[in-house]
Amino acid sequence: YDKERFVLAESSRIVSEENADIPISVLYSAENYYNYLKGFWYLKRYAQELSKNELDIAKLEQEGLQYVNFKEDNGSKIIDVSYGSYSDNFKIDKLIKLGGQKPGLRLSLKKENVSDMYYYRYIDIYLLGAKELQMKTPEVFGVVNYIQLDQPLFEYIAEAKEEKKNTHFNNIEKQLTGIFTCENFSVRIEENRRFIISTTNKEETGYYQLEERNSDCIISLFFDASNSIINEKYFLFDGSNNDRLVFLPIQLNFDNTIVKNIKPMIFNREEI
C-alpha cells in the first residue's frame, strides 16, 4: 500500500490436469524437454490396434512403419521421421521452448545434405501426456499424433507373428491327428506329433516337426530307426481338404526348397 503498486509475493507453476502425468522437470527447460523425447515414438494408430489385437502386420510390412526417433549423434541433436514409404533426417539447429497451455518445443532445423544456407524449417512438438505427443513436420500437412510403447514395435510385431504361426501350427496338428491310408501303408498320427507308419509286415515310428517358409508349411519326419516305407523326409503340406491331405516331397535346402519330380502322397482319413 505504501508503494501504491503490486509486488511479487509468491510464484508457482500450475499444470493443467491433462498434462499432470508429464514429469514437472520436463517443463523447466528446452534441453530437459528434448532429453525426455529421446527414443522412438510410433504412430498412435498402432497402439489402438495393438490394444484391440488388430495390428495388420502384412499391411505394415507393405507400407512401412511410421515413427519419429529423437537422438543425439556426436553431439548433434537429430530427428529421424519415417512416413512409411519414405523417411526424413533432420539436424536440429536450435531448441526453443514454447509457452501456452500445452507444454511445447520448437525445433529449428538444418536438413542434412542440403547446401542451401537459407533452409529454414521448424517442427513444433506438444506433449499431450507422458506418452503421447503431437507433431507437424515441414513435409506433412496437418499434425500427427505419436505415442511411446512399453517395448519397441518390432518386438510386438515379432510376438504377433509368433502367435499367428503357433495358431496356424496348432490347427495343422489337429488336422494331422488321426488314422490315414496311403497306397499300401497306413499312418496313425497322435496329438503329441508322434506317428506310426505300418504295412502288413512292417512298422516304423517317429515324430514330425512343422516349419513355415515363404508362407508354405513344411513337414519334416524324424524316424526312431529306419525309414524304408515312405523313403522321404521333407514335404510341402496341403491341408485344404481335411479328409484328403496332400504331402508333396521336396528337397529342403538352407535357403530354398525344391519340389521333387515324383508324385505326391495322398493321405485319406479313415472313419473312426
Side-chain angles (χ1 to χ4, degrees):
Y1 289 98
D2 56 337
K3 294 181 180 179
E4 297 183 346
R5 60 185 175 87
F6 288 104
V7 295
L8 179 64
E10 183 183 347
S11 67
S12 62
R13 183 184 297 273
I14 300 174
V15 181
S16 65
E17 186 175 337
E18 63 177 355
N19 299 323
D21 57 343
I22 301 172
I24 195 67
S25 60
V26 172
L27 310 179
Y28 287 156
S29 68
E31 195 73 28
N32 284 3
Y33 202 115
Y34 185 82
N35 288 336
Y36 182 78
L37 296 177
K38 281 181 184 176
F40 283 87
W41 298 71
Y42 299 95
L43 198 64
K44 185 177 180 179
R45 171 169 59 85
Y46 299 156
Q48 295 167 337
E49 291 174 355
L50 280 169
S51 66
K52 299 175 184 177
N53 199 26
E54 296 176 351
L55 189 65
D56 191 336
I57 299 172
K59 185 178 179 182
L60 279 181
E61 291 178 338
Q62 181 181 359
E63 297 180 352
L65 294 179
Q66 296 186 50
Y67 63 83
V68 56
N69 179 26
F70 301 91
K71 62 184 182 181
E72 289 198 38
D73 187 17
N74 294 324
S76 297
K77 292 179 173 61
I78 296 171
I79 174 172
D80 294 326
V81 185
S82 171
Y83 308 98
S85 57
Y86 70 100
S87 60
D88 259 318
N89 177 277
F90 301 101
K91 182 179 283 188
I92 300 169
D93 196 41
K94 187 187 298 183
L95 301 176
I96 304 167
K97 192 169 181 305
L98 300 175
Q101 202 164 9
K102 291 189 296 186
L105 183 67
R106 171 167 289 180
L107 310 180
S108 175
L109 304 176
K110 177 181 179 183
K111 192 170 183 179
E112 293 287 90
N113 303 319
V114 174
S115 57
D116 185 358
M117 61 181 295
Y118 299 107
Y119 182 91
Y120 294 113
R121 293 290 187 276
Y122 300 97
I123 292 178
D124 288 348
I125 299 168
Y126 295 95
L127 280 170
L128 305 182
K131 291 189 174 185
E132 181 177 354
L133 63 83
Q134 192 175 80
M135 185 179 82
K136 179 184 181 299
T137 61
E139 280 71 15
V140 175
F141 179 78
V143 296
V144 181
N145 283 27
Y146 297 89
I147 49 86
Q148 268 193 335
L149 298 172
D150 294 331
Q151 62 189 41
L153 187 61
F154 305 101
E155 294 184 16
Y156 285 106
I157 292 174
E159 289 174 3
K161 282 184 175 180
E162 186 67 21
E163 183 177 345
K164 182 179 179 181
K165 185 188 76 172
N166 290 338
T167 300
H168 181 51
F169 282 0
N170 287 338
N171 291 334
I172 290 176
E173 285 183 41
K174 291 176 183 176
Q175 199 173 6
L176 289 173
T177 302
I179 301 173
F180 304 87
T181 57
C182 179
E183 297 181 346
N184 60 344
F185 62 87
S186 64
V187 182
R188 178 190 292 273
I189 305 177
E190 300 172 348
E191 291 182 354
N192 59 0
R193 296 194 180 188
R194 297 287 302 178
F195 63 79
I196 302 170
I197 302 173
S198 57
T199 63
T200 54
N201 56 5
K202 189 186 296 186
E203 184 176 279
E204 295 175 348
T205 61
Y207 67 95
Y208 71 87
Q209 285 187 347
L210 298 175
E211 180 184 351
E212 193 173 61
R213 287 195 187 185
N214 300 321
S215 300
D216 291 324
C217 179
I218 297 171
I219 295 181
S220 301
L221 303 183
F222 297 91
F223 288 82
D224 297 327
S226 61
N227 174 16
S228 61
I229 300 175
I230 288 185
N231 292 314
E232 296 292 338
K233 184 175 180 180
Y234 304 111
F235 304 87
L236 282 181
F237 173 66
D238 179 1
S240 53
N241 185 333
N242 189 55
D243 295 321
R244 188 174 180 270
L245 311 180
V246 180
F247 284 61
L248 191 62
I250 60 171
Q251 178 182 322
L252 185 62
N253 300 323
F254 177 74
D255 57 352
N256 66 354
T257 58
I258 301 173
V259 177
K260 291 186 175 182
N261 189 25
I262 55 178
K263 67 177 183 179
M265 294 181 176
I266 310 298
F267 286 58
N268 295 296
R269 188 182 301 274
E270 288 190 359
E271 294 294 335
I272 300 177

PDB file of all heavy atoms in Angstrom, residues 54-75:
ATOM      1  N   GLU A  54      -5.610 -55.949 -33.297  1.00  0.00           N
ATOM      2  CA  GLU A  54      -5.983 -55.775 -34.707  1.00  0.00           C
ATOM      3  C   GLU A  54      -4.820 -55.255 -35.542  1.00  0.00           C
ATOM      4  O   GLU A  54      -5.029 -54.756 -36.654  1.00  0.00           O
ATOM      5  CB  GLU A  54      -7.172 -54.819 -34.826  1.00  0.00           C
ATOM      6  CG  GLU A  54      -8.461 -55.328 -34.191  1.00  0.00           C
ATOM      7  CD  GLU A  54      -9.586 -54.312 -34.258  1.00  0.00           C
ATOM      8  OE1 GLU A  54      -9.310 -53.156 -34.646  1.00  0.00           O
ATOM      9  OE2 GLU A  54     -10.738 -54.668 -33.922  1.00  0.00           O
ATOM     10  N   LEU A  55      -3.600 -55.361 -35.038  1.00  0.00           N
ATOM     11  CA  LEU A  55      -2.453 -54.863 -35.787  1.00  0.00           C
ATOM     12  C   LEU A  55      -2.261 -55.696 -37.055  1.00  0.00           C
ATOM     13  O   LEU A  55      -2.059 -56.912 -36.992  1.00  0.00           O
ATOM     14  CB  LEU A  55      -1.194 -54.915 -34.925  1.00  0.00           C
ATOM     15  CG  LEU A  55       0.050 -54.217 -35.497  1.00  0.00           C
ATOM     16  CD1 LEU A  55      -0.181 -52.716 -35.596  1.00  0.00           C
ATOM     17  CD2 LEU A  55       1.272 -54.500 -34.639  1.00  0.00           C
ATOM     18  N   ASP A  56      -2.343 -55.042 -38.216  1.00  0.00           N
ATOM     19  CA  ASP A  56      -2.234 -55.716 -39.508  1.00  0.00           C
ATOM     20  C   ASP A  56      -0.768 -55.766 -39.922  1.00  0.00           C
ATOM     21  O   ASP A  56      -0.235 -54.809 -40.485  1.00  0.00           O
ATOM     22  CB  ASP A  56      -3.068 -54.978 -40.554  1.00  0.00           C
ATOM     23  CG  ASP A  56      -3.219 -55.767 -41.849  1.00  0.00           C
ATOM     24  OD1 ASP A  56      -2.349 -56.622 -42.124  1.00  0.00           O
ATOM     25  OD2 ASP A  56      -4.192 -55.530 -42.585  1.00  0.00           O
ATOM     26  N   ILE A  57      -0.104 -56.876 -39.637  1.00  0.00           N
ATOM     27  CA  ILE A  57       1.340 -56.997 -39.895  1.00  0.00           C
ATOM     28  C   ILE A  57       1.636 -56.951 -41.386  1.00  0.00           C
ATOM     29  O   ILE A  57       2.597 -56.301 -41.817  1.00  0.00           O
ATOM     30  CB  ILE A  57       1.872 -58.300 -39.278  1.00  0.00           C
ATOM     31  CG1 ILE A  57       1.657 -58.284 -37.759  1.00  0.00           C
ATOM     32  CG2 ILE A  57       3.346 -58.488 -39.598  1.00  0.00           C
ATOM     33  CD1 ILE A  57       1.967 -59.589 -37.089  1.00  0.00           C
ATOM     34  N   ALA A  58       0.830 -57.623 -42.184  1.00  0.00           N
ATOM     35  CA  ALA A  58       1.057 -57.644 -43.635  1.00  0.00           C
ATOM     36  C   ALA A  58       0.994 -56.228 -44.204  1.00  0.00           C
ATOM     37  O   ALA A  58       1.809 -55.845 -45.050  1.00  0.00           O
ATOM     38  CB  ALA A  58       0.026 -58.543 -44.309  1.00  0.00           C
ATOM     39  N   LYS A  59       0.041 -55.437 -43.728  1.00  0.00           N
ATOM     40  CA  LYS A  59      -0.102 -54.051 -44.189  1.00  0.00           C
ATOM     41  C   LYS A  59       1.097 -53.214 -43.750  1.00  0.00           C
ATOM     42  O   LYS A  59       1.609 -52.393 -44.513  1.00  0.00           O
ATOM     43  CB  LYS A  59      -1.397 -53.458 -43.637  1.00  0.00           C
ATOM     44  CG  LYS A  59      -1.695 -52.057 -44.150  1.00  0.00           C
ATOM     45  CD  LYS A  59      -3.024 -51.557 -43.597  1.00  0.00           C
ATOM     46  CE  LYS A  59      -3.323 -50.144 -44.085  1.00  0.00           C
ATOM     47  NZ  LYS A  59      -4.602 -49.629 -43.520  1.00  0.00           N
ATOM     48  N   LEU A  60       1.555 -53.431 -42.519  1.00  0.00           N
ATOM     49  CA  LEU A  60       2.726 -52.709 -42.017  1.00  0.00           C
ATOM     50  C   LEU A  60       3.953 -53.015 -42.865  1.00  0.00           C
ATOM     51  O   LEU A  60       4.730 -52.112 -43.206  1.00  0.00           O
ATOM     52  CB  LEU A  60       3.013 -53.082 -40.563  1.00  0.00           C
ATOM     53  CG  LEU A  60       2.205 -52.398 -39.465  1.00  0.00           C
ATOM     54  CD1 LEU A  60       2.664 -52.886 -38.107  1.00  0.00           C
ATOM     55  CD2 LEU A  60       2.350 -50.895 -39.554  1.00  0.00           C
ATOM     56  N   GLU A  61       4.158 -54.285 -43.177  1.00  0.00           N
ATOM     57  CA  GLU A  61       5.330 -54.677 -43.961  1.00  0.00           C
ATOM     58  C   GLU A  61       5.263 -54.122 -45.369  1.00  0.00           C
ATOM     59  O   GLU A  61       6.285 -53.814 -45.983  1.00  0.00           O
ATOM     60  CB  GLU A  61       5.451 -56.196 -43.982  1.00  0.00           C
ATOM     61  CG  GLU A  61       5.821 -56.785 -42.626  1.00  0.00           C
ATOM     62  CD  GLU A  61       5.889 -58.292 -42.619  1.00  0.00           C
ATOM     63  OE1 GLU A  61       5.263 -58.916 -43.517  1.00  0.00           O
ATOM     64  OE2 GLU A  61       6.560 -58.863 -41.739  1.00  0.00           O
ATOM     65  N   GLN A  62       4.056 -53.971 -45.892  1.00  0.00           N
ATOM     66  CA  GLN A  62       3.890 -53.441 -47.240  1.00  0.00           C
ATOM     67  C   GLN A  62       4.082 -51.924 -47.269  1.00  0.00           C
ATOM     68  O   GLN A  62       4.747 -51.386 -48.157  1.00  0.00           O
ATOM     69  CB  GLN A  62       2.504 -53.805 -47.775  1.00  0.00           C
ATOM     70  CG  GLN A  62       2.251 -53.319 -49.197  1.00  0.00           C
ATOM     71  CD  GLN A  62       0.852 -53.685 -49.682  1.00  0.00           C
ATOM     72  OE1 GLN A  62       0.076 -54.305 -48.970  1.00  0.00           O
ATOM     73  NE2 GLN A  62       0.528 -53.296 -50.902  1.00  0.00           N
ATOM     74  N   GLU A  63       3.484 -51.231 -46.311  1.00  0.00           N
ATOM     75  CA  GLU A  63       3.516 -49.767 -46.306  1.00  0.00           C
ATOM     76  C   GLU A  63       4.725 -49.202 -45.568  1.00  0.00           C
ATOM     77  O   GLU A  63       5.121 -48.066 -45.809  1.00  0.00           O
ATOM     78  CB  GLU A  63       2.232 -49.229 -45.669  1.00  0.00           C
ATOM     79  CG  GLU A  63       0.969 -49.590 -46.429  1.00  0.00           C
ATOM     80  CD  GLU A  63      -0.275 -49.048 -45.759  1.00  0.00           C
ATOM     81  OE1 GLU A  63      -0.152 -48.523 -44.621  1.00  0.00           O
ATOM     82  OE2 GLU A  63      -1.355 -49.145 -46.366  1.00  0.00           O
ATOM     83  N   GLY A  64       5.326 -49.976 -44.655  1.00  0.00           N
ATOM     84  CA  GLY A  64       6.429 -49.470 -43.846  1.00  0.00           C
ATOM     85  C   GLY A  64       5.928 -48.823 -42.567  1.00  0.00           C
ATOM     86  O   GLY A  64       4.782 -48.372 -42.482  1.00  0.00           O
ATOM     87  N   LEU A  65       6.791 -48.782 -41.555  1.00  0.00           N
ATOM     88  CA  LEU A  65       6.420 -48.220 -40.258  1.00  0.00           C
ATOM     89  C   LEU A  65       6.461 -46.692 -40.295  1.00  0.00           C
ATOM     90  O   LEU A  65       7.291 -46.094 -40.968  1.00  0.00           O
ATOM     91  CB  LEU A  65       7.379 -48.710 -39.171  1.00  0.00           C
ATOM     92  CG  LEU A  65       7.367 -50.200 -38.847  1.00  0.00           C
ATOM     93  CD1 LEU A  65       8.391 -50.504 -37.774  1.00  0.00           C
ATOM     94  CD2 LEU A  65       5.984 -50.642 -38.404  1.00  0.00           C
ATOM     95  N   GLN A  66       5.575 -46.094 -39.524  1.00  0.00           N
ATOM     96  CA  GLN A  66       5.583 -44.639 -39.360  1.00  0.00           C
ATOM     97  C   GLN A  66       5.977 -44.330 -37.919  1.00  0.00           C
ATOM     98  O   GLN A  66       5.307 -44.774 -36.985  1.00  0.00           O
ATOM     99  CB  GLN A  66       4.202 -44.060 -39.673  1.00  0.00           C
ATOM    100  CG  GLN A  66       3.786 -44.257 -41.128  1.00  0.00           C
ATOM    101  CD  GLN A  66       2.488 -43.556 -41.451  1.00  0.00           C
ATOM    102  OE1 GLN A  66       2.320 -42.367 -41.144  1.00  0.00           O
ATOM    103  NE2 GLN A  66       1.553 -44.260 -42.068  1.00  0.00           N
ATOM    104  N   TYR A  67       7.053 -43.603 -37.755  1.00  0.00           N
ATOM    105  CA  TYR A  67       7.558 -43.303 -36.418  1.00  0.00           C
ATOM    106  C   TYR A  67       8.449 -42.063 -36.472  1.00  0.00           C
ATOM    107  O   TYR A  67       8.804 -41.568 -37.546  1.00  0.00           O
ATOM    108  CB  TYR A  67       8.356 -44.482 -35.862  1.00  0.00           C
ATOM    109  CG  TYR A  67       9.604 -44.818 -36.652  1.00  0.00           C
ATOM    110  CD1 TYR A  67      10.803 -44.134 -36.447  1.00  0.00           C
ATOM    111  CD2 TYR A  67       9.590 -45.826 -37.619  1.00  0.00           C
ATOM    112  CE1 TYR A  67      11.947 -44.426 -37.177  1.00  0.00           C
ATOM    113  CE2 TYR A  67      10.722 -46.128 -38.359  1.00  0.00           C
ATOM    114  CZ  TYR A  67      11.893 -45.428 -38.129  1.00  0.00           C
ATOM    115  OH  TYR A  67      13.013 -45.717 -38.863  1.00  0.00           O
ATOM    116  N   VAL A  68       8.798 -41.576 -35.299  1.00  0.00           N
ATOM    117  CA  VAL A  68       9.779 -40.499 -35.172  1.00  0.00           C
ATOM    118  C   VAL A  68      10.775 -40.915 -34.098  1.00  0.00           C
ATOM    119  O   VAL A  68      10.402 -41.513 -33.093  1.00  0.00           O
ATOM    120  CB  VAL A  68       9.095 -39.154 -34.824  1.00  0.00           C
ATOM    121  CG1 VAL A  68       8.251 -39.260 -33.560  1.00  0.00           C
ATOM    122  CG2 VAL A  68      10.121 -38.043 -34.662  1.00  0.00           C
ATOM    123  N   ASN A  69      12.044 -40.624 -34.348  1.00  0.00           N
ATOM    124  CA  ASN A  69      13.102 -41.009 -33.421  1.00  0.00           C
ATOM    125  C   ASN A  69      13.947 -39.781 -33.095  1.00  0.00           C
ATOM    126  O   ASN A  69      14.532 -39.157 -33.995  1.00  0.00           O
ATOM    127  CB  ASN A  69      13.979 -42.104 -34.037  1.00  0.00           C
ATOM    128  CG  ASN A  69      15.109 -42.530 -33.117  1.00  0.00           C
ATOM    129  OD1 ASN A  69      15.007 -42.415 -31.903  1.00  0.00           O
ATOM    130  ND2 ASN A  69      16.193 -43.017 -33.688  1.00  0.00           N
ATOM    131  N   PHE A  70      13.990 -39.413 -31.816  1.00  0.00           N
ATOM    132  CA  PHE A  70      14.825 -38.301 -31.347  1.00  0.00           C
ATOM    133  C   PHE A  70      16.124 -38.885 -30.791  1.00  0.00           C
ATOM    134  O   PHE A  70      16.089 -39.793 -29.973  1.00  0.00           O
ATOM    135  CB  PHE A  70      14.104 -37.504 -30.255  1.00  0.00           C
ATOM    136  CG  PHE A  70      12.784 -36.928 -30.683  1.00  0.00           C
ATOM    137  CD1 PHE A  70      11.606 -37.640 -30.496  1.00  0.00           C
ATOM    138  CD2 PHE A  70      12.713 -35.677 -31.268  1.00  0.00           C
ATOM    139  CE1 PHE A  70      10.385 -37.122 -30.885  1.00  0.00           C
ATOM    140  CE2 PHE A  70      11.492 -35.135 -31.658  1.00  0.00           C
ATOM    141  CZ  PHE A  70      10.322 -35.859 -31.468  1.00  0.00           C
ATOM    142  N   LYS A  71      17.251 -38.353 -31.227  1.00  0.00           N
ATOM    143  CA  LYS A  71      18.521 -38.924 -30.783  1.00  0.00           C
ATOM    144  C   LYS A  71      19.620 -37.878 -30.817  1.00  0.00           C
ATOM    145  O   LYS A  71      19.415 -36.746 -31.276  1.00  0.00           O
ATOM    146  CB  LYS A  71      18.905 -40.107 -31.683  1.00  0.00           C
ATOM    147  CG  LYS A  71      19.116 -39.735 -33.138  1.00  0.00           C
ATOM    148  CD  LYS A  71      19.400 -40.961 -33.989  1.00  0.00           C
ATOM    149  CE  LYS A  71      19.655 -40.590 -35.445  1.00  0.00           C
ATOM    150  NZ  LYS A  71      19.922 -41.756 -36.308  1.00  0.00           N
ATOM    151  N   GLU A  72      20.784 -38.249 -30.317  1.00  0.00           N
ATOM    152  CA  GLU A  72      21.992 -37.424 -30.406  1.00  0.00           C
ATOM    153  C   GLU A  72      23.100 -38.252 -31.020  1.00  0.00           C
ATOM    154  O   GLU A  72      23.256 -39.433 -30.704  1.00  0.00           O
ATOM    155  CB  GLU A  72      22.404 -36.911 -29.026  1.00  0.00           C
ATOM    156  CG  GLU A  72      21.459 -35.846 -28.478  1.00  0.00           C
ATOM    157  CD  GLU A  72      22.085 -35.043 -27.336  1.00  0.00           C
ATOM    158  OE1 GLU A  72      23.296 -34.759 -27.408  1.00  0.00           O
ATOM    159  OE2 GLU A  72      21.351 -34.719 -26.395  1.00  0.00           O
ATOM    160  N   ASP A  73      23.874 -37.638 -31.926  1.00  0.00           N
ATOM    161  CA  ASP A  73      24.954 -38.331 -32.609  1.00  0.00           C
ATOM    162  C   ASP A  73      26.161 -37.398 -32.696  1.00  0.00           C
ATOM    163  O   ASP A  73      26.100 -36.358 -33.351  1.00  0.00           O
ATOM    164  CB  ASP A  73      24.505 -38.766 -34.008  1.00  0.00           C
ATOM    165  CG  ASP A  73      25.535 -39.637 -34.708  1.00  0.00           C
ATOM    166  OD1 ASP A  73      26.424 -40.173 -34.013  1.00  0.00           O
ATOM    167  OD2 ASP A  73      25.451 -39.784 -35.938  1.00  0.00           O
ATOM    168  N   ASN A  74      27.221 -37.775 -31.995  1.00  0.00           N
ATOM    169  CA  ASN A  74      28.438 -36.951 -31.962  1.00  0.00           C
ATOM    170  C   ASN A  74      28.144 -35.509 -31.556  1.00  0.00           C
ATOM    171  O   ASN A  74      28.650 -34.557 -32.159  1.00  0.00           O
ATOM    172  CB  ASN A  74      29.133 -36.970 -33.324  1.00  0.00           C
ATOM    173  CG  ASN A  74      29.676 -38.345 -33.674  1.00  0.00           C
ATOM    174  OD1 ASN A  74      30.140 -39.079 -32.807  1.00  0.00           O
ATOM    175  ND2 ASN A  74      29.606 -38.701 -34.957  1.00  0.00           N
ATOM    176  N   GLY A  75      27.292 -35.361 -30.566  1.00  0.00           N
ATOM    177  CA  GLY A  75      26.980 -34.037 -30.039  1.00  0.00           C
ATOM    178  C   GLY A  75      25.881 -33.303 -30.781  1.00  0.00           C
ATOM    179  O   GLY A  75      25.450 -32.229 -30.349  1.00  0.00           O
TER     180      GLY A  75
END
